[in-house]
Coordinates of all heavy atoms in Angstrom, one line a residue:
L1 N 25.3 10.0 6.3 CA 24.7 8.9 5.8 C 23.8 8.2 6.9 O 24.3 8.1 8.1 CB 25.8 7.8 5.3 CG 25.4 6.5 4.7 CD1 24.6 6.8 3.3 CD2 26.5 5.7 4.5
G2 N 22.6 7.9 6.6 CA 21.6 7.4 7.5 C 20.9 8.4 8.4 O 20.0 8.1 9.2
G3 N 21.3 9.7 8.2 CA 20.6 10.8 9.0 C 19.4 11.5 8.4 O 18.9 12.5 8.9
S4 N 18.8 10.9 7.3 CA 17.6 11.5 6.7 C 16.5 11.3 7.6 O 16.1 10.4 8.3 CB 17.4 10.9 5.4 OG 16.0 11.1 4.9
I5 N 15.7 12.5 7.7 CA 14.4 12.5 8.4 C 13.2 12.1 7.5 O 12.4 11.5 7.9 CB 14.1 13.8 9.1 CG1 15.3 14.0 10.2 CG2 12.8 14.0 9.6 CD1 15.2 15.4 10.9
E6 N 13.4 12.6 6.3 CA 12.2 12.4 5.3 C 12.0 10.9 4.9 O 10.9 10.6 4.6 CB 12.7 13.1 3.9 CG 12.4 14.6 4.1 CD 11.2 15.0 4.4 OE1 10.1 14.5 3.9 OE2 11.0 16.1 5.1
K7 N 13.0 10.0 5.2 CA 12.7 8.7 4.9 C 11.9 8.0 6.0 O 11.5 6.9 5.8 CB 14.0 7.9 4.7 CG 15.0 7.9 6.0 CD 16.3 7.3 5.7 CE 17.1 7.1 7.1 NZ 18.4 6.5 6.7
L8 N 11.8 8.7 7.1 CA 11.0 8.2 8.2 C 9.6 8.4 8.0 O 8.9 9.1 9.0 CB 11.6 8.7 9.6 CG 13.0 8.6 9.8 CD1 13.4 9.4 11.1 CD2 13.3 7.2 10.0
F9 N 9.0 7.8 7.0 CA 7.5 7.8 6.7 C 7.0 9.1 6.2 O 5.8 9.2 6.0 CB 6.8 7.3 7.8 CG 7.3 5.9 8.4 CD1 7.9 6.0 9.6 CD2 7.2 4.8 7.8 CE1 8.4 4.8 10.2 CE2 7.8 3.5 8.3 CZ 8.3 3.6 9.6
Y10 N 7.8 10.1 6.0 CA 7.4 11.4 5.4 C 7.3 11.2 3.9 O 6.4 11.8 3.3 CB 8.3 12.5 5.9 CG 8.3 12.8 7.3 CD1 9.2 12.4 8.2 CD2 7.1 13.5 7.9 CE1 9.1 12.7 9.6 CE2 7.0 13.8 9.3 CZ 8.0 13.4 10.1 OH 8.0 13.5 11.5
L11 N 8.4 10.8 3.3 CA 8.5 10.7 1.9 C 8.1 9.3 1.3 O 8.8 8.4 1.6 CB 10.0 11.1 1.5 CG 10.2 11.1 0.0 CD1 9.5 12.1 -0.8 CD2 11.7 11.2 -0.2
P12 N 7.1 9.2 0.7 CA 6.5 7.9 0.1 C 7.5 7.5 -1.0 O 8.2 8.3 -1.8 CB 5.2 8.3 -0.6 CG 4.8 9.5 0.1 CD 6.0 10.3 0.4
E13 N 7.7 6.2 -1.0 CA 8.6 5.5 -2.0 C 10.0 6.0 -2.0 O 10.7 6.4 -3.0 CB 7.9 5.7 -3.5 CG 6.5 5.5 -3.8 CD 6.1 4.1 -3.5 OE1 7.1 3.3 -3.7 OE2 5.0 3.8 -3.3
A14 N 10.4 6.2 -0.7 CA 11.8 6.7 -0.6 C 12.9 5.8 -1.1 O 14.0 6.3 -1.5 CB 12.1 7.0 1.0
H15 N 12.6 4.5 -1.1 CA 13.7 3.5 -1.6 C 13.6 3.2 -3.0 O 14.4 2.5 -3.5 CB 13.8 2.3 -0.7 CG 12.5 1.6 -0.7 ND1 11.3 2.1 -0.2 CD2 12.2 0.3 -1.1 CE1 10.2 1.3 -0.4 NE2 10.8 0.1 -0.9
T16 N 12.5 3.8 -3.6 CA 12.3 3.4 -5.1 C 12.3 4.8 -6.0 O 13.5 5.2 -6.2 CB 10.9 2.8 -5.4 OG1 9.9 3.6 -4.7 CG2 11.0 1.3 -4.6
D17 N 11.2 5.4 -6.1 CA 11.2 6.5 -7.2 C 11.9 7.8 -6.5 O 12.4 8.5 -7.3 CB 9.7 6.9 -7.4 CG 9.0 5.7 -8.1 OD1 9.6 4.8 -8.5 OD2 7.7 5.7 -8.1
F18 N 11.9 7.9 -5.2 CA 12.5 9.0 -4.7 C 13.7 8.8 -3.9 O 14.1 9.5 -2.9 CB 11.5 9.8 -3.8 CG 10.5 10.5 -4.5 CD1 9.3 10.0 -4.9 CD2 10.6 12.0 -4.8 CE1 8.4 10.6 -5.7 CE2 9.7 12.6 -5.6 CZ 8.6 12.0 -6.0
L19 N 14.5 7.8 -4.3 CA 15.9 7.5 -3.7 C 16.8 8.5 -3.8 O 17.6 8.9 -2.8 CB 16.5 6.4 -4.4 CG 17.7 5.7 -3.8 CD1 17.4 4.9 -2.5 CD2 18.5 4.7 -4.7
L20 N 16.8 9.3 -4.8 CA 17.7 10.5 -5.1 C 17.4 11.6 -4.1 O 18.5 12.4 -3.5 CB 17.6 11.1 -6.5 CG 18.6 12.3 -6.8 CD1 19.9 11.5 -7.0 CD2 18.2 13.0 -8.1
A21 N 16.2 11.8 -3.6 CA 15.8 12.8 -2.6 C 16.5 12.4 -1.2 O 17.1 13.3 -0.6 CB 14.3 13.0 -2.4
V22 N 16.5 11.2 -0.9 CA 17.1 10.7 0.3 C 18.6 11.0 0.1 O 19.2 11.3 1.2 CB 16.7 9.2 0.5 CG1 17.4 8.7 1.9 CG2 15.3 9.1 0.8
L23 N 19.2 10.4 -1.0 CA 20.6 10.7 -1.2 C 21.0 12.2 -1.1 O 22.0 12.6 -0.5 CB 21.1 10.2 -2.5 CG 22.4 10.1 -3.0 CD1 22.8 9.0 -3.8 CD2 22.9 11.4 -3.7
A24 N 20.1 13.1 -1.6 CA 20.5 14.6 -1.5 C 20.5 14.9 -0.1 O 21.3 15.9 0.3 CB 19.3 15.3 -2.3
E25 N 19.6 14.4 0.7 CA 19.5 14.8 2.1 C 20.7 14.4 3.0 O 21.2 15.1 3.8 CB 18.2 14.2 2.8 CG 17.9 14.8 4.3 CD 16.6 14.3 4.8 OE1 15.9 13.6 4.1 OE2 16.3 14.7 6.0
E26 N 21.1 13.1 2.6 CA 22.2 12.6 3.4 C 23.5 12.8 2.9 O 24.5 13.0 3.8 CB 22.0 11.1 3.5 CG 20.7 10.6 4.2 CD 20.5 9.1 4.4 OE1 21.4 8.4 3.8 OE2 19.7 8.7 5.1

């Protein structure tokens, strides 16, 4: 938890449309 790299400006809309991708990474 909190260790995602993609949420660091690589993946657009990380907290909206692509929240599941961040969840999958973490």
Side-chain angles (χ1 to χ4, degrees):
L1 188 62
S4 168
I5 292 176
E6 286 300 322
K7 69 183 181 185
L8 303 178
F9 311 109
Y10 292 103
L11 181 62
E13 311 296 339
H15 59 303
T16 55
D17 300 346
F18 283 86
L19 185 75
L20 188 71
V22 177
L23 185 147
E25 187 178 1
E26 296 188 350

